[in-house]
């Protein structure tokens, strides 16, 4: 399998490392794509002796079969449609970008027309198998509470506008509560899990999102509750954050690797 990676951060580095170790069999990285010539991806590419490129055209020239987007909402907009149109499978991690119905429609149509796979892994959450099954029967309520230590919420313009001193919180503080449609765009690098939950379930308008900064937390902790005709279920996830990036959980990195493994597998266990 010829793999392209967009991004040069926590997930991109982990990916290249696993592929280099042979964890994905004969898969190899054919290019790492960055935002510009000075991007961090260039250093990763150099240290793993992989070509570094900028832009969809240059990435396509390296003839990837599958591209893993591990960069940003902008990257989904810049690369997504161009890759799918050319029949390249795309695994999207910055899936909050797909809260934009126009963009999601373009990607879905490009995938339909070319036959390429558009895959959004479950990232830092689970239970999407049960949710999808329950939705066939009918689901009335899906809620997700995304709670992380205060450090994970720093540097976000929406949070800065709230004028909260994240270093001095004494207890849990709710940063947002409402529809995923409204909340997801406020936190571009932090609540992608609410986006994949919405897309696998009852959509961005009906899925309820609560975002909390909690100084007592060691792990990124998420609570999901689903109620519908088949019954109810509740899930709690306590995710170990990546040491260099408190916004990203290890589980999310490994979910992308698992999605990549599934691309060519003729057998599927679980919905
Ligand atoms: N779906 C999930 O559950 C989930 C979980 C964790 C992270 N994520 C998302 O995955 C992405 C990667 O996570 P990370 O922890 O590796 O982030 P990171 O911040 O460590 O690295 C992101 C990298 O992407 C690069 N980048 C940004 N915009 C780009 C563009 N337009 N073109 C090319 N490169 C670009 C940056 O320069 C940086 O090197 C983020 O968007 C993050 O929000 C999703």
């Amino acid at each position: 399998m010829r793999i392209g990676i967009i991004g040069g951060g926590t997930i991109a580095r982990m990916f290249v490392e696993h592929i280099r170790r042979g964890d994905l069999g004969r898969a190899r990285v054919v290019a790492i794509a960055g935002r510009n010539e000075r991007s961090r991806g260039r250093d990763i590419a150099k240290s793993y002796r992989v070509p570094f490129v900028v832009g969809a055209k240059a990435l396509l020239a390296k003839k990837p079969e599958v591209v893993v987007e591990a960069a940003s909402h902008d990257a989904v907009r810049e690369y997504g449609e161009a890759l799918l149109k050319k029949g390249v499978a795309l695994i999207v991690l910055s899936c909050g970008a797909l809260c934009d119905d126009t963009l999601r429609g373009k990607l879905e149509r490009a995938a339909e027309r070319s036959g390429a796979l558009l895959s959004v892994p479950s990232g830092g959450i689970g239970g999407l198998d049960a949710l999808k099954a329950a939705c066939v029967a009918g689901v009335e309520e899906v809620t997700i509470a995304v709670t992380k230590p205060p450090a994970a919420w720093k540097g976000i313009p929406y949070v800065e506008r709230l004028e909260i001193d994240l270093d001095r919180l004494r207890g849990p503080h709710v940063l947002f509560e409402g529809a995923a449609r409204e909340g997801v765009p406020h936190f571009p690098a932090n609540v992608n899990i609410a986006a994949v939950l919405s897309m696998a379930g009852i959509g961005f308008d009906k899925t309820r999102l609560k975002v909390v900064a909690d100084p007592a937390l060691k792990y990124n902790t998420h609570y999901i509750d689903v109620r519908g005709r088949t019954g109810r279920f509740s899930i709690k996830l306590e995710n170990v954050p990546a040491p260099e990036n408190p916004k990203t959980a290890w589980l999310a990195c490994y979910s992308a690797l698992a999605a990549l493994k599934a691309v060519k597998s003729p057998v599927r266990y679980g919905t």
Side-chain angles (χ1 to χ4, degrees):
M1 189 161 34
R2 296 172 62 84
I3 300 165
I5 298 172
I6 310 170
T10 309
I11 296 180
R13 185 175 289 279
M14 190 215 80
F15 243 91
V16 187
E17 181 58 36
H18 276 276
I19 293 167
R20 205 182 59 118
R21 283 195 334 219
D23 294 351
L24 285 177
R26 282 152 51 91
R28 72 185 177 100
V29 178
V30 294
I32 294 179
R35 202 196 295 260
N36 56 49
E37 293 299 333
R38 297 177 308 285
S39 294
R40 275 190 289 163
R42 177 177 279 286
D43 298 334
I44 302 183
K46 198 172 166 197
S47 58
Y48 290 99
R49 298 199 183 136
V50 173
F52 176 77
V53 297
V54 176
K57 209 171 155 197
L59 180 55
L60 281 165
K62 298 295 176 191
K63 302 205 178 324
E65 292 168 83
V66 185
V67 167
V68 180
E69 177 285 318
S72 64
H73 289 191
D74 282 348
V76 180
R77 285 187 276 270
E78 290 160 21
Y79 288 83
E81 193 184 9
L83 296 173
L84 288 165
K85 264 186 173 171
K86 293 285 180 193
V88 178
L90 178 65
I91 296 176
V92 175
L93 282 161
S94 309
C95 59
L98 303 180
C99 183
D100 173 348
D101 291 340
T102 308
L103 177 66
R104 193 173 70 256
K106 278 185 189 166
L107 266 53
E108 287 175 355
R109 278 193 299 280
E112 264 166 37
R113 282 182 193 149
S114 71
L117 175 75
L118 168 61
S119 163
V120 179
S122 45
I125 55 169
L128 301 185
D129 47 359
L131 174 60
K132 283 193 278 187
C135 278
V136 178
V139 164
E140 281 119 51
E141 204 179 287
V142 179
T143 63
I144 178 165
V146 178
T147 70
K148 299 187 187 183
W153 303 108
K154 288 188 174 177
I156 300 170
Y158 169 82
V159 178
E160 284 167 2
R161 284 196 296 277
L162 298 177
E163 295 185 357
I164 302 157
D165 188 345
L166 288 167
D167 290 322
R168 285 168 192 256
L169 287 184
R170 292 180 165 202
H173 189 98
V174 177
L175 302 173
F176 175 83
E177 194 162 13
R181 171 80 69 195
E182 186 193 345
V184 166
H186 289 323
F187 307 91
N190 250 315
V191 303
N192 287 297
I193 47 179
V196 68
L197 185 74
S198 302
M199 292 185 284
I202 57 175
F204 287 96
D205 296 312
K206 290 191 192 150
T207 303
R208 306 294 296 173
L209 166 66
K210 187 172 176 181
V211 176
V212 182
D214 187 346
L217 287 180
K218 188 169 159 202
Y219 301 122
N220 294 349
T221 307
H222 313 308
Y223 304 86
I224 296 169
D225 292 288
V226 173
R227 187 173 57 80
R229 289 188 66 205
T230 55
R232 299 166 180 259
F233 64 87
S234 299
I235 297 175
K236 176 184 178 186
L237 296 113
E238 290 184 300
N239 290 340
V240 179
E244 67 279 21
N245 184 352
K247 293 181 168 114
T248 286
W250 281 124
L251 184 67
C253 304
Y254 286 100
S255 107
L257 270 169
L260 197 50
K261 276 188 176 180
V263 167
K264 289 215 166 169
S265 172
V267 180
R268 191 172 297 176
Y269 299 114
T271 307

